Amino acid sequence: MVAAVIDGKAFAEGLRGRVAEGVAAFTASTGRKPGLAVVLVGQDPASQVYVRSKGKATIAAGMESFEHRLPETTSQEELIALVRRLNDNETVDGILVQLPLPKGIDEQAVIATIDPAKDVDGFHVINAGRLAVGEEALVPCTPLGCLMLLKDRLGDLSGKEAVVIGRSNIVGKPMAQLLLQQNCTVTIAHSRSKDLPGVVRRADIVVAAVGRPEMVKGDWLKPGAAVIDVGINRVDGKLVGDVDFASASEVAGAITPVPGGVGPMTIAVLLRNTLVAAHARAGLAPPEGL
Ligand code: GUN
């Protein structure tokens, strides 16, 4: 079998187009644009690239972008004071504090300060809890993007065996919750799991989010499985995923490439979450088709 390659870039472009239409409608009915504030502390080169792309995409979607760049030496108290000001700013619908934060700043304490209604990353415990109990929540962007790609490819996910490799709060755990909500039978595997190839071989759906270059091999897969590769690893100057694409694409039914798979979805979903948050804050029904 040769797997179909899932074109995340094309799907993300479509989603960004639908968000831009929703933004125009929101702006026409409320008289103001949705606003997204992004906070970057320090000089981490990868984070600088992400923050610049987020700002550009926000403006391209017709939203207001507020960028706050703070020095590496910023204290936790100063950062928390900024988040409080953004909470109180009516023109700000979404707040994203870029992670990782410099050493000495407690990430959870900062995230806990964000107004859950503006938590477009979905990292606040209130949103994690709402997702877990099946209430309306702002959901982390990367796993929500993975779910959109899976539903687009497979349709109904009910009864499917899903294996999520990785248990981070940003990807693995919310991914598992989303798949459970879709009536999948979900296994979360991680670095201490025994016989990982044996576990993965049961899966109709594999989501790899471990940060180990090309760890998942083709002979770990059930033939026809849908494989979502969240990994972004730089090896000898080249980007590779957590899945060995060459061998996996000979066994899988469908697979996301790196780059061009999950990556472009994250920012598109961030824009979507910001538009959803803006509607909720304005007392409007959620935008449709997103
Ligand atoms: N760093 C890496 N991924 C993310 C993300 O999705 N959100 C934030 N805030 N920081 C990140």
Side-chain angles (χ1 to χ4, degrees), residues 50 54 96-100 121 123 142 170 266:
Y50 291 138
K54 285 170 189 170
L96 181 149
V97 178
Q98 184 67 31
L99 305 179
D121 259 331
F123 293 167
T142 300
I170 296 182
T266 300

Side-chain angles (χ1 to χ4, degrees), residues 156-161 178-186:
D156 183 15
L157 305 183
S158 277
K160 294 198 182 293
E161 288 276 351
L178 287 169
L179 291 165
L180 188 58
Q181 221 169 56
Q182 299 294 316
N183 306 310
C184 292
T185 303
V186 181

Side-chain angles (χ1 to χ4, degrees), residues 202-224:
R202 297 202 298 260
D204 304 305
I205 293 169
V206 180
V207 180
V210 267
R212 284 169 161 255
E214 300 179 323
M215 183 183 72
V216 177
K217 308 294 182 193
D219 64 3
W220 294 22
L221 299 173
K222 175 164 149 181

